[in-house]
Amino acid sequence: MAIPAFRFAPSPNGELHLGHAYSALLNVQLAAEAGGRFLVRIEDIDTTRCTPELAEKALADLAWLGLSWEQPVRVQSRHLADYSRVQERLAGMGLLYPCFCSRREIVANADPARRDPEGQPPYPGTCRALPCSAVEARIASGEPHALRLDMGAATIDPAALAWGDVVLVRKDIATSYHVAVVTDDHLQGISHVVRGKDLEAATAIHVVLQRLLGYVTPHYHHHELIGDETGRKLSKSEGASSLCRLRAEGVTPAEIRRALGFA
Ligand code: GLU
């Protein structure tokens, strides 16, 4: 049997806060208990929000907390070709279609009675019905488009169908969180995904992709999110939970571990 593998996968679109520290520490603890590996992955495909400086800062914060992880760290923005290959496989199954809609058009055409698990109107399917000739003409004219998964053709799982036809290739970044996370968990042999409850509903999408691609579905555990309460207990300033700021105030890694319930 392969050694269990756990990962902490921050997106460097802001500073790490106590919620991240909790997630990372929990992964480390569970990996240690399972005699497993612990990896850190930088999820920076969204170049509209992530920066290399914030990625460096995140790693420095984790090191300051006393964590160590396997090298090299996988940085998603350096592996876009891996995500393209996966997208091509899904396209080859006839499960992706181009979508030209703007956010405004989606809202205007959406069924007001329906909401996806994040509370947004699911995609109304407008571009799924476009004739091939129209699609080809619009692509040829250079009109920007995303690629959506035809969820109804991909699965019968109600939890995934509730999301509607999710975007798998964004207009602006040529891939998506869903594709990148599923690809990397597979390529890195991740056996246990431990992350916050905010991502629990999205797991249904990830499982659909894993089945289509023939990947093993890892064990999933979604932990409670750490609120500002813990930050207030530790911090001198109001609502501070950024690790950087706590550190600057003189809070020690040991105090952070204790406050988060790790002795
Ligand atoms: N990069 C995601 C985030 O920071 C986490 C992804 C995951 O754990 O699957 O919210």
Side-chain angles (χ1 to χ4, degrees), residues 7 9-11 20 43 177 181 193 195 198-199:
R7 89 310 193 261
S11 300
H20 294 106
E43 300 209 326
Y177 161 61
V181 78
V193 172
R195 58 187 179 188
D198 52 336
L199 290 169

Side-chain angles (χ1 to χ4, degrees), residues 65-143:
L65 264 185
L67 305 192
S68 51
W69 51 90
E70 285 185 16
Q71 299 294 338
V73 168
R74 186 171 168 93
V75 178
Q76 290 191 324
S77 58
R78 299 182 192 153
H79 297 279
L80 298 180
D82 288 336
Y83 314 132
S84 294
R85 267 192 290 279
V86 165
Q87 286 151 200
E88 277 160 25
R89 280 188 63 200
L90 295 167
M93 296 176 208
L95 292 173
L96 303 187
Y97 65 87
C99 170
F100 304 91
C101 294
S102 64
R103 219 176 278 272
R104 188 140 42 92
E105 284 167 323
I106 295 173
V107 172
N109 293 319
D111 176 352
R114 290 189 58 203
R115 287 282 181 264
D116 72 16
E118 279 178 345
Q120 302 298 319
Y123 182 62
T126 322
C127 289
R128 198 188 329 115
L130 286 178
C132 276
S133 53
V135 170
E136 279 163 21
R138 290 173 79 167
I139 291 177
S141 77
E143 194 174 336

Side-chain angles (χ1 to χ4, degrees), residues 192-209:
H192 292 72
V193 172
V194 176
R195 58 187 179 188
K197 277 219 187 296
D198 52 336
L199 290 169
E200 188 163 22
T203 304
I205 302 168
H206 303 162
V207 173
V208 167
L209 295 177

Side-chain angles (χ1 to χ4, degrees), residues 192-260:
H192 292 72
V193 172
V194 176
R195 58 187 179 188
K197 277 219 187 296
D198 52 336
L199 290 169
E200 188 163 22
T203 304
I205 302 168
H206 303 162
V207 173
V208 167
L209 295 177
Q210 286 151 0
R211 297 219 169 121
L212 291 170
L213 296 160
Y215 297 167
V216 175
T217 291
H219 298 285
Y220 283 99
H221 171 67
H222 294 93
H223 58 73
E224 294 299 331
L225 299 176
I226 300 298
D228 284 346
E229 196 47 37
T230 316
R232 268 196 287 275
K233 275 186 229 151
L234 278 170
S235 176
K236 297 185 195 79
S237 46
E238 189 51 36
S241 83
S242 130
L243 296 180
C244 246
R245 200 152 138 198
L246 290 170
R247 179 183 184 174
E249 287 181 3
V251 178
T252 66
E255 285 169 324
I256 289 182
R257 282 169 184 263
R258 248 195 321 277
L260 292 172

